[in-house]
Amino acid sequence: MTPPLQFVAHPGAGRGAFARVWPAMATALAAADLEHEVLLTTRPNEAADLAREAARSGARLVVAVGGDGTLHEVVNGLLTADLPAEARPALGLVPAGRGSDYARGLQLPREAPAIVARLAACL
């Protein structure tokens, strides 16, 4: 069974920022007792494929972990999942890129506990 919370991460985003942000995220997720799965990309455009599959398998929230490029791919995957709009999962973002313009523009939190609290509120 697919956990309701799926993370799609590009480990190379932001010169390896995933490795720097994920330990704190993992700790915050464990503290919040949120069932989740982490899907790591291994090739270009794979984030879209992983997000599409997460949507099709019933995830309620798909979270891009990376920069603006990873977010773009995850959005494209969700929008091409061949599901009615009401059946598509919500989208989240853990900023882990060089610029993270979307996260900055939306004033998203950057601290793991605050990010996890927001994600939990979406489930």
Side-chain angles (χ1 to χ4, degrees), residues 24-100:
M25 283 297 299
T27 299
L29 287 162
D33 197 28
L34 289 178
E35 183 183 2
H36 66 281
E37 183 175 15
V38 179
L39 310 168
L40 298 177
T41 64
T42 59
R43 61 178 168 74
N45 300 313
E46 188 175 15
D49 296 337
L50 294 172
R52 188 178 307 107
E53 184 53 38
R56 288 178 180 159
S57 39
R60 291 181 28 214
L61 176 58
V62 177
V63 181
V65 182
D68 296 337
T70 304
L71 177 63
H72 177 78
E73 282 191 39
V74 169
V75 166
N76 283 328
L78 295 178
L79 291 176
T80 58
D82 297 323
L83 294 170
E86 62 276 3
R88 288 190 183 128
L91 170 68
L93 174 62
V94 175
R98 277 176 284 184
S100 294

